[in-house]
Amino acid sequence: MFHRVMSAALLGIEAVPVYVEADVSDGLPVFSMVGSLGLRVREAQDRVRTALKNEGFALPPKRITINLAPADISKDGSRFDLAIALAVLMSQAVFPPEALEGVMVVGELSLGGRVNGIPGVLNTVMAAKKAGCRLCLVPEDNQAEAGLVAGMPVMGVGSLAGAIAAARRHFDGAPVHKRIRPVSLPAGGEDFADIRGQRLVKRAALLAAAGFHNLLMTGPPGSGKTMAARRLPGIMPPMTDDECLELTQIYSAAGELGEDGSVIAARPFRAPHHTVTVKTLTGGGRLPRPGEITLAHRGILFLDEMPEFSRAALEALRQPLENREIVISRTTGTFRFPANFLLAAAVNPCPCGQYGQPGGQCTCSPAAIARYRERLSGPLMDRIDLKVVVPPVTYRELTDAAPSDVSSAVLRAAVLEAHRRQKERYHGEAFDFNSGIPAGRLAEYCPLTPAAARVLEAVFVREKLSARAYHRLLRVARTAADLDGAAEIDRRHIEEAALYRMAFKGPEE
């Protein structure tokens, strides 16, 4: 007898409905599975058979065929176990077929019949809502995560026996929708007031956070580059509910939500080690999962000691920095991952870090310095909006007992005001920050005073700027004007944007 149960496959960060079809018929006893299955899906037959036995349901000595349709979609993972078990039991008339009409089922089975949590449940519930399902049956461990989707009833089950009992009751009841609550910054966290001196660095960080501009800091070891980068999340504007849900969906697909399944409500800060592979950075595998670039979406990707990263890894950043997404092509399909992140990077002037420093004794040969800097290609550097030199901190600055007047609270207030202006200006647009203004709309959103236009032309000619560099300089100037509360971009805003763009030049600039 043939029956089917709706489930969902996870392709990248998108869940796609899949029907688990079960047929129990006469023939030699065999448990056969088809439908473009990965190894972990094929292993489900042993998990399902043993779980059913331990729950008191012996499989009949017949031919059992399981098909996961459509067959042209690749399936992987253990998320189909519960749906396979329920489809087999339905074929044995353990509960009526109408009990699972309009119900999407996902979950992994242990050998004892327990339903274990899986990644991508939030994505699955969203797919269920889009498909018009009346209920989504998920592991009990993922129930809090599943409840984030408004208007989609969900039910968490902890065991196969519990799922069967719920099916026999036609799934009475459903948990209440869980609201997304804004995140308040913890008291006593990392504060820009801890950084002594470095006013130019703090101003660059302010511009970066206010306009979502990429930032590169160069200076000797111990000058405060990493400290500044790690304090950036504390001055950035809060995310909207839609952004929180989007980010939580990414972390759910990557299996990084944690046991409580709480919503990601703070902008992420990802700092991969310089030994990271291209696949880990961009996302990869037969069915690609989100990489560090996508996990930094709506937040910050920090590359400490940037030239120590492999050339291939650095060049992989070029496309997502420009297009705000990363496209991965495999034989199983083409996967698109969001990658709208702020790149913050720290660079030493040379391998030993002492080149050009007053009183420093650089031990690097000219060839070693050239090789070190050549890892930062011209096209990559062209995509970085703000470049600031971080000088060594003086003894007087370190020992000054007076509290710093440039704290995270002060910078955050300025960022919030600038972001408010941007939200009003870009209401109804597909972008929220100045860094996202399309090149064709710059004339509309970046009006220049006559003096600013003359300075911009002079900078363009003198520095031989590319079209991309020109557009990025104009966006930074727009942010500087927003911080000043100015409707038009004046010459001082162009001069400041040019100052930060020319502060450090790569080998090909």
Side-chain angles (χ1 to χ4, degrees):
M1 185 176 294
F2 164 80
H3 290 286
R4 71 178 188 174
V5 175
M6 180 185 279
S7 188
L10 194 61
L11 302 179
I13 60 172
E14 182 182 3
V16 180
V18 166
Y19 285 95
V20 177
E21 302 174 338
D23 180 77
V24 180
S25 57
D26 295 333
L28 293 175
V30 66
F31 197 116
S32 174
M33 295 181 62
V34 296
S36 188
L37 311 179
L39 177 62
R40 287 181 292 180
V41 182
R42 293 188 180 279
E43 292 172 345
Q45 57 183 296
D46 294 320
R47 291 192 296 269
V48 169
R49 182 189 291 113
T50 307
L52 287 172
K53 181 197 67 159
N54 290 327
E55 290 285 6
F57 296 96
L59 291 177
K62 294 186 176 184
R63 181 178 183 85
I64 300 175
T65 304
I66 303 295
N67 177 44
L68 272 62
D72 61 341
I73 294 178
S74 296
K75 296 99 180 170
D76 199 10
S78 56
R79 57 182 20 246
F80 303 103
D81 291 5
L82 183 58
I84 293 171
L86 293 179
V88 171
L89 291 174
M90 193 189 301
S91 298
Q92 295 180 254
V94 174
F95 53 84
E98 58 268 19
L100 290 175
E101 284 292 332
V103 178
M104 183 174 283
V105 181
V106 290
E108 175 191 306
L109 286 177
S110 70
L111 298 184
R114 186 181 187 279
V115 179
N116 298 325
I118 58 170
V121 165
L122 178 60
N123 317 55
T124 301
V125 178
M126 287 180 169
K129 182 178 181 180
K130 186 177 180 181
C133 295
R134 65 179 176 86
L135 181 70
C136 199
L137 190 65
V138 302
E140 198 171 55
D141 294 343
N142 299 123
Q143 187 170 358
E145 173 189 346
L148 292 171
V149 182
M152 183 66 232
V154 296
M155 176 174 284
V157 291
S159 66
L160 177 57
I164 295 168
R168 285 171 171 166
R169 298 193 308 268
H170 288 254
F171 302 102
D172 295 333
V176 180
H177 171 54
K178 182 180 177 183
R179 293 284 180 184
I180 298 174
R181 296 183 178 180
V183 172
S184 57
L185 293 177
E190 295 183 330
D191 197 308
F192 269 97
D194 301 332
I195 302 177
R196 297 294 179 169
Q198 309 294 15
R199 287 188 172 272
L200 278 178
V201 178
K202 294 177 182 179
R203 175 65 181 181
L206 174 62
L207 287 165
F212 217 72
H213 301 291
N214 301 320
L215 171 65
L216 181 143
M217 297 169 285
T218 178
S223 55
K225 304 185 296 293
T226 303
M227 285 183 69
R230 292 195 175 278
R231 283 153 178 75
L232 269 173
I235 67 172
M236 297 189 72
M239 294 192 296
T240 64
D241 283 359
D242 288 342
E243 289 173 336
C244 291
L245 204 57
E246 177 190 27
L247 196 59
T248 305
Q249 187 179 359
I250 292 170
Y251 275 73
S252 176
E256 292 201 17
L257 267 191
E259 294 182 359
D260 59 350
S262 57
V263 66
I264 304 294
R267 295 190 183 274
F269 182 89
R270 307 291 297 190
H273 192 260
H274 67 262
T275 56
V276 66
T277 64
V278 176
K279 185 179 292 187
T280 304
L281 190 65
T282 62
R286 177 176 171 268
L287 293 177
R289 297 177 64 184
E292 289 292 332
I293 286 175
T294 301
L295 293 173
H297 182 61
R298 303 289 183 187
I300 297 166
L301 178 68
F302 177 50
L303 303 185
D304 201 4
E305 303 292 347
M306 190 178 183
E308 298 296 340
F309 287 74
S310 70
R311 181 69 179 261
L314 292 178
E315 293 305 302
L317 293 170
R318 286 164 55 175
Q319 185 242 354
L321 281 174
E322 193 69 23
N323 300 332
R324 306 291 184 178
E325 70 171 1
I326 185 162
V327 181
I328 300 175
S329 297
R330 294 287 185 271
T331 55
T332 52
T334 299
F335 302 84
R336 294 181 179 273
F337 294 100
N340 187 8
F341 60 93
L342 188 161
L343 175 65
V347 178
N348 287 332
C350 66
C352 77
Q354 297 303 317
Y355 177 75
Q357 302 308 311
Q361 296 181 351
C362 179
T363 59
C364 305
S365 66
I369 296 175
R371 286 194 301 270
Y372 183 76
R373 287 203 164 195
E374 281 172 0
R375 296 187 184 180
L376 306 180
S377 69
L380 176 60
M381 295 294 287
D382 207 32
R383 289 166 167 82
I384 297 178
D385 309 314
L386 300 162
K387 302 161 190 172
V388 60
V389 175
V390 187
V393 183
T394 65
Y395 178 80
R396 185 168 184 175
E397 288 172 330
L398 280 176
T399 56
D400 187 1
S404 173
D405 60 344
V406 185
S407 65
S408 289
V410 172
L411 296 179
R412 182 175 172 83
V415 168
L416 292 176
E417 178 59 25
H419 189 229
R420 183 191 64 79
R421 292 177 179 275
Q422 292 172 68
K423 286 180 68 175
E424 291 178 358
R425 185 188 307 127
Y426 307 133
H427 180 70
E429 298 283 7
F431 53 92
D432 299 318
F433 290 95
N434 290 329
S435 62
I437 305 174
R441 308 286 297 278
L442 285 171
E444 175 185 352
Y445 287 123
C446 300
L448 300 170
T449 64
R454 289 192 296 271
V455 172
L456 181 59
E457 181 182 7
V459 170
F460 182 87
V461 173
R462 184 181 69 246
E463 300 296 338
K464 299 181 175 62
L465 297 182
S466 66
R468 180 188 294 113
Y470 166 80
H471 294 151
R472 288 181 174 271
L473 189 150
L474 203 52
R475 294 180 184 116
V476 173
R478 176 68 271 176
T479 300
D482 285 338
L483 289 170
D484 280 353
E488 289 186 313
I489 297 173
D490 203 356
R491 64 173 297 163
R492 66 182 183 278
H493 306 133
I494 296 293
E495 289 169 349
E496 183 177 28
L499 168 69
Y500 283 111
R501 180 152 199 96
M502 309 308 163
F504 172 81
K505 295 189 177 182
E508 299 175 27
E509 285 191 281

